[in-house]
Amino acid sequence: MPTSIWRGLLSFGVGAIIWEATARYLDNKLFLVPLGAIFDRFMEMARSGDLAADASVSFIEFIGGFGLAAIVGIGAGIAMSASKRIREFFDPWVSMLYATPTIALGPLFMLALGIGYGSKIALIFLTAVFPILINTVAGLTTTDRVLLEVVRSFGATRMQTYFKVRMPAALPFIIAGLRVAVARALVGVVVAELFGARAGLGFLIFRSAQVFDTAGLWVSVFILAICGVASVEFLKWVEKRMAPWRFQNIEDE
Amino acid sequence: MATKLATRGLGKSFQKDGKAIEALRGLDLDIARGEFVSIVGASGCGKTTFLRLINGLIKPTSGTVTLDGADVSAPGANIAFVFQQDGLFPWRNVLDNTVIGPELQRKDMNEARRTASSFLNLVGLRGFEKHFPHELSGGMKQRVNMARALTAGADVLLMDEPFAALDAQTREIMQAELTRIWRETGKTILFVTHQIDEAVFLSDRVLVFTVRPGRLKEEVTIDLPRPRELTLKRAPQFANYVDHIWQSIEQEVRESIRLETEATLAIAKR
Ligand SMILES: Nc1ncnc2c1ncn2[C@@H]1O[C@H](COP(=O)(O)OP(=O)(O)OP(=O)(O)O)[C@@H](O)[C@H]1O
Ligand SMILES: [Mg+2]
């Protein structure tokens, strides 16, 4: 195994010891509970099937919202990069909505779309779509001029220039956008469920807190954290595989 | 000797901020088939513009470019650019970078890959087909660029300061390599450089351009025996050619520095 993984594990190990020590010293079962207790609670919830039910609800919301954001973000990005006029028309909206904490619109979505999947997917979509859209546009409109001149000098058509230069050059940008969007979408899942839900990992946090089940709350937080880290790391890995030249200097150190 | 490439009254002006910048004026040139011609001149005198006109990347404001007697109106397969090292696609391996010409012209790709392999061989890159540009040295990247232009099937190669970014030793090695490749392929080559010794070493003929608008100031036929070895650079005749060309453009370079300083001062005053 590479040393970076060992260091990561060591770091987690130290963190776990500090956690354990603090939990025992504080002895405040409402805030920090020992890791063992969290694990026991996890097994209990897993056996009863509650956890699977909550996780699958959140999973469906996440896939729906994030998937839609990816399709719309990349699609609209391609459209906006194709024409300067379209871009200039939509740019102010994109910039404004990207800067707005759209999560604040959550309650509005509950009112309009109800307490089911629709409102959750809409909110997750809205938090995740802009990084994807913005990166797609940036990737497609900042193509290296030299490379464009190269294909032109070999007599490339507009279509060929698009598919053989602009698209491949934009791919690493798009993946980076997806990476940012995954993290935002996970926050979206939790917040959307806090505003009102019948099930889900975010709702589980809310429900556990109400009945002072701190261990149950931490189970949910840990699962979300693991999902977040895993998907971000996965996209980083994809990015590195697809565009190794962008990481070369950092790796060489 | 048969004329491969000819320009008549070739001129180019650019529009910038409503003002016309005349980059080139009235160039009448004949390049023979298989000739190696270098172009030297002060920075900004229109050398790159000249190559881009010949390739058909930009259209002349006046005059014509003909290849084998036919007008060049758009980039085609007969004339290929050799770009500086940043002209390779980072996401394509060496072989896929090399076949881009035939690929864009929708030629048979199996044949193109065979051609590319043989040219990669010629430039000394056998075994590097699957490497990516970021894994290559600057000199190797330039070899890929040459193999790519050759694979495109061009008879005329346009090279715009191809070795400018290389260190001194690598540059000398590449000069020797280019002479060899030129001899083995019989291509017609137009080569732009700021290094006068490079121009003399490589060329049959060196064209000296005036400052902007670029015109032909002088052409120097290099009467040195071939094949040439790098040791030729220490021969007295070689030094004579270099001195002569240097004196010819010195005046022009001074002039261009004066013009640039004036322009900078004018901007600073505003
Ligand atoms: N697309 C363009 N638009 C406007 N002006 C241009 C354009 N291309 C070139 N020029 C101008 O034309 C002149 C000649 O440029 P060119 O690049 O051909 O010079 P050069 O001889 O290649 O210079 P260098 O030795 O520095 O590479 C310059 O003054 C440049 O500013
Ligand atoms: Mg130039």
PDB file of all heavy atoms in Angstrom, chain A residues 171-173 175-177 179 232 234-244 246-247:
ATOM      1  N   LEU A 171     -13.436  17.674 -20.527  1.00  0.00           N
ATOM      2  CA  LEU A 171     -13.814  16.567 -19.636  1.00  0.00           C
ATOM      3  C   LEU A 171     -13.267  16.676 -18.209  1.00  0.00           C
ATOM      4  O   LEU A 171     -14.024  16.525 -17.258  1.00  0.00           O
ATOM      5  CB  LEU A 171     -13.413  15.230 -20.254  1.00  0.00           C
ATOM      6  CG  LEU A 171     -14.527  14.509 -21.028  1.00  0.00           C
ATOM      7  CD1 LEU A 171     -14.025  13.167 -21.523  1.00  0.00           C
ATOM      8  CD2 LEU A 171     -15.757  14.312 -20.148  1.00  0.00           C
ATOM      9  N   PRO A 172     -11.977  16.961 -18.036  1.00  0.00           N
ATOM     10  CA  PRO A 172     -11.474  17.076 -16.661  1.00  0.00           C
ATOM     11  C   PRO A 172     -12.179  18.183 -15.870  1.00  0.00           C
ATOM     12  O   PRO A 172     -12.435  18.022 -14.678  1.00  0.00           O
ATOM     13  CB  PRO A 172      -9.994  17.418 -16.846  1.00  0.00           C
ATOM     14  CG  PRO A 172      -9.652  17.004 -18.219  1.00  0.00           C
ATOM     15  CD  PRO A 172     -10.901  17.086 -19.026  1.00  0.00           C
ATOM     16  N   PHE A 173     -12.532  19.273 -16.545  1.00  0.00           N
ATOM     17  CA  PHE A 173     -13.274  20.357 -15.885  1.00  0.00           C
ATOM     18  C   PHE A 173     -14.637  19.844 -15.425  1.00  0.00           C
ATOM     19  O   PHE A 173     -15.097  20.142 -14.335  1.00  0.00           O
ATOM     20  CB  PHE A 173     -13.526  21.517 -16.857  1.00  0.00           C
ATOM     21  CG  PHE A 173     -12.342  22.395 -17.100  1.00  0.00           C
ATOM     22  CD1 PHE A 173     -11.344  22.003 -17.967  1.00  0.00           C
ATOM     23  CD2 PHE A 173     -12.243  23.625 -16.478  1.00  0.00           C
ATOM     24  CE1 PHE A 173     -10.259  22.812 -18.208  1.00  0.00           C
ATOM     25  CE2 PHE A 173     -11.157  24.446 -16.702  1.00  0.00           C
ATOM     26  CZ  PHE A 173     -10.163  24.037 -17.574  1.00  0.00           C
ATOM     27  N   ILE A 175     -15.602  16.775 -14.776  1.00  0.00           N
ATOM     28  CA  ILE A 175     -15.470  15.853 -13.643  1.00  0.00           C
ATOM     29  C   ILE A 175     -15.232  16.640 -12.346  1.00  0.00           C
ATOM     30  O   ILE A 175     -15.795  16.327 -11.305  1.00  0.00           O
ATOM     31  CB  ILE A 175     -14.290  14.878 -13.862  1.00  0.00           C
ATOM     32  CG1 ILE A 175     -14.440  14.128 -15.191  1.00  0.00           C
ATOM     33  CG2 ILE A 175     -14.172  13.906 -12.701  1.00  0.00           C
ATOM     34  CD1 ILE A 175     -15.360  12.973 -15.172  1.00  0.00           C
ATOM     35  N   ALA A 176     -14.399  17.679 -12.437  1.00  0.00           N
ATOM     36  CA  ALA A 176     -14.142  18.501 -11.248  1.00  0.00           C
ATOM     37  C   ALA A 176     -15.434  19.154 -10.771  1.00  0.00           C
ATOM     38  O   ALA A 176     -15.692  19.257  -9.571  1.00  0.00           O
ATOM     39  CB  ALA A 176     -13.081  19.552 -11.552  1.00  0.00           C
ATOM     40  N   GLY A 177     -16.270  19.579 -11.722  1.00  0.00           N
ATOM     41  CA  GLY A 177     -17.561  20.170 -11.380  1.00  0.00           C
ATOM     42  C   GLY A 177     -18.443  19.148 -10.683  1.00  0.00           C
ATOM     43  O   GLY A 177     -19.106  19.452  -9.683  1.00  0.00           O
ATOM     44  N   ARG A 179     -17.465  16.694  -8.935  1.00  0.00           N
ATOM     45  CA  ARG A 179     -16.907  16.442  -7.607  1.00  0.00           C
ATOM     46  C   ARG A 179     -17.415  17.478  -6.598  1.00  0.00           C
ATOM     47  O   ARG A 179     -17.830  17.129  -5.498  1.00  0.00           O
ATOM     48  CB  ARG A 179     -15.373  16.491  -7.714  1.00  0.00           C
ATOM     49  CG  ARG A 179     -14.642  16.141  -6.485  1.00  0.00           C
ATOM     50  CD  ARG A 179     -13.227  15.668  -6.805  1.00  0.00           C
ATOM     51  NE  ARG A 179     -12.479  16.558  -7.685  1.00  0.00           N
ATOM     52  CZ  ARG A 179     -11.917  17.687  -7.288  1.00  0.00           C
ATOM     53  NH1 ARG A 179     -12.043  18.097  -6.050  1.00  0.00           N
ATOM     54  NH2 ARG A 179     -11.236  18.421  -8.137  1.00  0.00           N
ATOM     55  N   VAL A 232     -16.379  11.535  -3.497  1.00  0.00           N
ATOM     56  CA  VAL A 232     -15.413  12.560  -3.895  1.00  0.00           C
ATOM     57  C   VAL A 232     -14.080  11.917  -4.290  1.00  0.00           C
ATOM     58  O   VAL A 232     -13.486  12.265  -5.316  1.00  0.00           O
ATOM     59  CB  VAL A 232     -15.205  13.593  -2.761  1.00  0.00           C
ATOM     60  CG1 VAL A 232     -14.000  14.462  -3.052  1.00  0.00           C
ATOM     61  CG2 VAL A 232     -16.454  14.463  -2.612  1.00  0.00           C
ATOM     62  N   PHE A 234     -13.661   8.911  -5.363  1.00  0.00           N
ATOM     63  CA  PHE A 234     -13.846   8.187  -6.622  1.00  0.00           C
ATOM     64  C   PHE A 234     -13.705   9.140  -7.812  1.00  0.00           C
ATOM     65  O   PHE A 234     -13.013   8.851  -8.790  1.00  0.00           O
ATOM     66  CB  PHE A 234     -15.219   7.511  -6.643  1.00  0.00           C
ATOM     67  CG  PHE A 234     -15.588   6.941  -7.985  1.00  0.00           C
ATOM     68  CD1 PHE A 234     -14.943   5.815  -8.473  1.00  0.00           C
ATOM     69  CD2 PHE A 234     -16.563   7.548  -8.771  1.00  0.00           C
ATOM     70  CE1 PHE A 234     -15.267   5.293  -9.718  1.00  0.00           C
ATOM     71  CE2 PHE A 234     -16.894   7.034 -10.016  1.00  0.00           C
ATOM     72  CZ  PHE A 234     -16.248   5.905 -10.491  1.00  0.00           C
ATOM     73  N   LEU A 235     -14.340  10.309  -7.709  1.00  0.00           N
ATOM     74  CA  LEU A 235     -14.269  11.262  -8.829  1.00  0.00           C
ATOM     75  C   LEU A 235     -12.856  11.829  -8.986  1.00  0.00           C
ATOM     76  O   LEU A 235     -12.408  12.096 -10.101  1.00  0.00           O
ATOM     77  CB  LEU A 235     -15.290  12.386  -8.636  1.00  0.00           C
ATOM     78  CG  LEU A 235     -16.724  11.928  -8.915  1.00  0.00           C
ATOM     79  CD1 LEU A 235     -17.733  12.955  -8.439  1.00  0.00           C
ATOM     80  CD2 LEU A 235     -16.925  11.662 -10.401  1.00  0.00           C
ATOM     81  N   LYS A 236     -12.161  11.985  -7.866  1.00  0.00           N
ATOM     82  CA  LYS A 236     -10.760  12.431  -7.945  1.00  0.00           C
ATOM     83  C   LYS A 236      -9.941  11.405  -8.720  1.00  0.00           C
ATOM     84  O   LYS A 236      -9.094  11.745  -9.544  1.00  0.00           O
ATOM     85  CB  LYS A 236     -10.171  12.557  -6.532  1.00  0.00           C
ATOM     86  CG  LYS A 236     -10.084  13.978  -6.025  1.00  0.00           C
ATOM     87  CD  LYS A 236      -9.227  14.000  -4.771  1.00  0.00           C
ATOM     88  CE  LYS A 236      -9.653  15.128  -3.863  1.00  0.00           C
ATOM     89  NZ  LYS A 236      -9.179  14.935  -2.489  1.00  0.00           N
ATOM     90  N   TRP A 237     -10.227  10.131  -8.417  1.00  0.00           N
ATOM     91  CA  TRP A 237      -9.507   9.040  -9.075  1.00  0.00           C
ATOM     92  C   TRP A 237      -9.800   9.046 -10.581  1.00  0.00           C
ATOM     93  O   TRP A 237      -8.891   8.936 -11.396  1.00  0.00           O
ATOM     94  CB  TRP A 237      -9.935   7.716  -8.435  1.00  0.00           C
ATOM     95  CG  TRP A 237      -9.342   6.499  -9.057  1.00  0.00           C
ATOM     96  CD1 TRP A 237      -8.076   6.000  -8.859  1.00  0.00           C
ATOM     97  CD2 TRP A 237      -9.979   5.613  -9.984  1.00  0.00           C
ATOM     98  NE1 TRP A 237      -7.900   4.865  -9.597  1.00  0.00           N
ATOM     99  CE2 TRP A 237      -9.046   4.598 -10.299  1.00  0.00           C
ATOM    100  CE3 TRP A 237     -11.249   5.567 -10.575  1.00  0.00           C
ATOM    101  CZ2 TRP A 237      -9.336   3.568 -11.182  1.00  0.00           C
ATOM    102  CZ3 TRP A 237     -11.537   4.537 -11.459  1.00  0.00           C
ATOM    103  CH2 TRP A 237     -10.594   3.550 -11.749  1.00  0.00           C
ATOM    104  N   VAL A 238     -11.080   9.238 -10.934  1.00  0.00           N
ATOM    105  CA  VAL A 238     -11.459   9.299 -12.352  1.00  0.00           C
ATOM    106  C   VAL A 238     -10.722  10.458 -13.033  1.00  0.00           C
ATOM    107  O   VAL A 238     -10.162  10.318 -14.123  1.00  0.00           O
ATOM    108  CB  VAL A 238     -12.988   9.493 -12.509  1.00  0.00           C
ATOM    109  CG1 VAL A 238     -13.361   9.735 -13.968  1.00  0.00           C
ATOM    110  CG2 VAL A 238     -13.734   8.287 -11.974  1.00  0.00           C
ATOM    111  N   GLU A 239     -10.710  11.606 -12.345  1.00  0.00           N
ATOM    112  CA  GLU A 239     -10.051  12.791 -12.881  1.00  0.00           C
ATOM    113  C   GLU A 239      -8.577  12.510 -13.158  1.00  0.00           C
ATOM    114  O   GLU A 239      -8.038  12.892 -14.195  1.00  0.00           O
ATOM    115  CB  GLU A 239     -10.159  13.899 -11.831  1.00  0.00           C
ATOM    116  CG  GLU A 239     -10.508  15.264 -12.374  1.00  0.00           C
ATOM    117  CD  GLU A 239     -10.673  16.231 -11.220  1.00  0.00           C
ATOM    118  OE1 GLU A 239     -11.211  15.839 -10.164  1.00  0.00           O
ATOM    119  OE2 GLU A 239     -10.248  17.375 -11.375  1.00  0.00           O
ATOM    120  N   LYS A 240      -7.941  11.845 -12.221  1.00  0.00           N
ATOM    121  CA  LYS A 240      -6.520  11.554 -12.357  1.00  0.00           C
ATOM    122  C   LYS A 240      -6.257  10.585 -13.494  1.00  0.00           C
ATOM    123  O   LYS A 240      -5.275  10.691 -14.212  1.00  0.00           O
ATOM    124  CB  LYS A 240      -5.998  10.957 -11.051  1.00  0.00           C
ATOM    125  CG  LYS A 240      -4.860  11.762 -10.457  1.00  0.00           C
ATOM    126  CD  LYS A 240      -4.422  11.155  -9.161  1.00  0.00           C
ATOM    127  CE  LYS A 240      -4.153  12.253  -8.164  1.00  0.00           C
ATOM    128  NZ  LYS A 240      -3.656  11.750  -6.901  1.00  0.00           N
ATOM    129  N   ARG A 241      -7.163   9.616 -13.654  1.00  0.00           N
ATOM    130  CA  ARG A 241      -6.998   8.636 -14.728  1.00  0.00           C
ATOM    131  C   ARG A 241      -7.190   9.294 -16.086  1.00  0.00           C
ATOM    132  O   ARG A 241      -6.528   8.962 -17.054  1.00  0.00           O
ATOM    133  CB  ARG A 241      -8.037   7.508 -14.601  1.00  0.00           C
ATOM    134  CG  ARG A 241      -7.879   6.680 -13.377  1.00  0.00           C
ATOM    135  CD  ARG A 241      -7.372   5.300 -13.655  1.00  0.00           C
ATOM    136  NE  ARG A 241      -7.260   4.966 -15.064  1.00  0.00           N
ATOM    137  CZ  ARG A 241      -7.265   3.748 -15.527  1.00  0.00           C
ATOM    138  NH1 ARG A 241      -7.413   2.754 -14.689  1.00  0.00           N
ATOM    139  NH2 ARG A 241      -7.121   3.500 -16.802  1.00  0.00           N
ATOM    140  N   MET A 242      -8.150  10.244 -16.131  1.00  0.00           N
ATOM    141  CA  MET A 242      -8.470  10.833 -17.428  1.00  0.00           C
ATOM    142  C   MET A 242      -7.541  11.966 -17.804  1.00  0.00           C
ATOM    143  O   MET A 242      -7.377  12.256 -18.981  1.00  0.00           O
ATOM    144  CB  MET A 242      -9.912  11.342 -17.413  1.00  0.00           C
ATOM    145  CG  MET A 242     -10.870  10.196 -17.602  1.00  0.00           C
ATOM    146  SD  MET A 242     -12.510  10.728 -17.955  1.00  0.00           S
ATOM    147  CE  MET A 242     -12.346  12.463 -17.889  1.00  0.00           C
ATOM    148  N   ALA A 243      -6.986  12.648 -16.828  1.00  0.00           N
ATOM    149  CA  ALA A 243      -6.131  13.795 -17.145  1.00  0.00           C
ATOM    150  C   ALA A 243      -4.869  13.758 -16.303  1.00  0.00           C
ATOM    151  O   ALA A 243      -4.618  14.656 -15.503  1.00  0.00           O
ATOM    152  CB  ALA A 243      -6.903  15.097 -16.917  1.00  0.00           C
ATOM    153  N   PRO A 244      -4.048  12.717 -16.484  1.00  0.00           N
ATOM    154  CA  PRO A 244      -2.860  12.581 -15.624  1.00  0.00           C
ATOM    155  C   PRO A 244      -1.902  13.756 -15.755  1.00  0.00           C
ATOM    156  O   PRO A 244      -1.207  14.085 -14.804  1.00  0.00           O
ATOM    157  CB  PRO A 244      -2.206  11.286 -16.113  1.00  0.00           C
ATOM    158  CG  PRO A 244      -2.779  11.022 -17.455  1.00  0.00           C
ATOM    159  CD  PRO A 244      -4.135  11.643 -17.476  1.00  0.00           C
ATOM    160  N   ARG A 246      -2.479  16.822 -15.724  1.00  0.00           N
ATOM    161  CA  ARG A 246      -2.809  17.953 -14.859  1.00  0.00           C
ATOM    162  C   ARG A 246      -2.298  17.744 -13.446  1.00  0.00           C
ATOM    163  O   ARG A 246      -2.250  18.670 -12.655  1.00  0.00           O
ATOM    164  CB  ARG A 246      -4.324  18.167 -14.805  1.00  0.00           C
ATOM    165  CG  ARG A 246      -4.926  18.427 -16.159  1.00  0.00           C
ATOM    166  CD  ARG A 246      -6.394  18.668 -16.052  1.00  0.00           C
ATOM    167  NE  ARG A 246      -6.676  19.998 -15.578  1.00  0.00           N
ATOM    168  CZ  ARG A 246      -7.826  20.339 -15.012  1.00  0.00           C
ATOM    169  NH1 ARG A 246      -8.754  19.453 -14.815  1.00  0.00           N
ATOM    170  NH2 ARG A 246      -8.029  21.575 -14.623  1.00  0.00           N
ATOM    171  N   PHE A 247      -1.935  16.504 -13.104  1.00  0.00           N
ATOM    172  CA  PHE A 247      -1.508  16.218 -11.741  1.00  0.00           C
ATOM    173  C   PHE A 247      -0.014  15.987 -11.640  1.00  0.00           C
ATOM    174  O   PHE A 247       0.517  15.781 -10.581  1.00  0.00           O
ATOM    175  CB  PHE A 247      -2.239  14.989 -11.204  1.00  0.00           C
ATOM    176  CG  PHE A 247      -3.710  15.199 -11.107  1.00  0.00           C
ATOM    177  CD1 PHE A 247      -4.519  14.962 -12.202  1.00  0.00           C
ATOM    178  CD2 PHE A 247      -4.278  15.678  -9.942  1.00  0.00           C
ATOM    179  CE1 PHE A 247      -5.884  15.183 -12.125  1.00  0.00           C
ATOM    180  CE2 PHE A 247      -5.633  15.899  -9.857  1.00  0.00           C
ATOM    181  CZ  PHE A 247      -6.442  15.649 -10.954  1.00  0.00           C
TER     182      PHE A 247
END
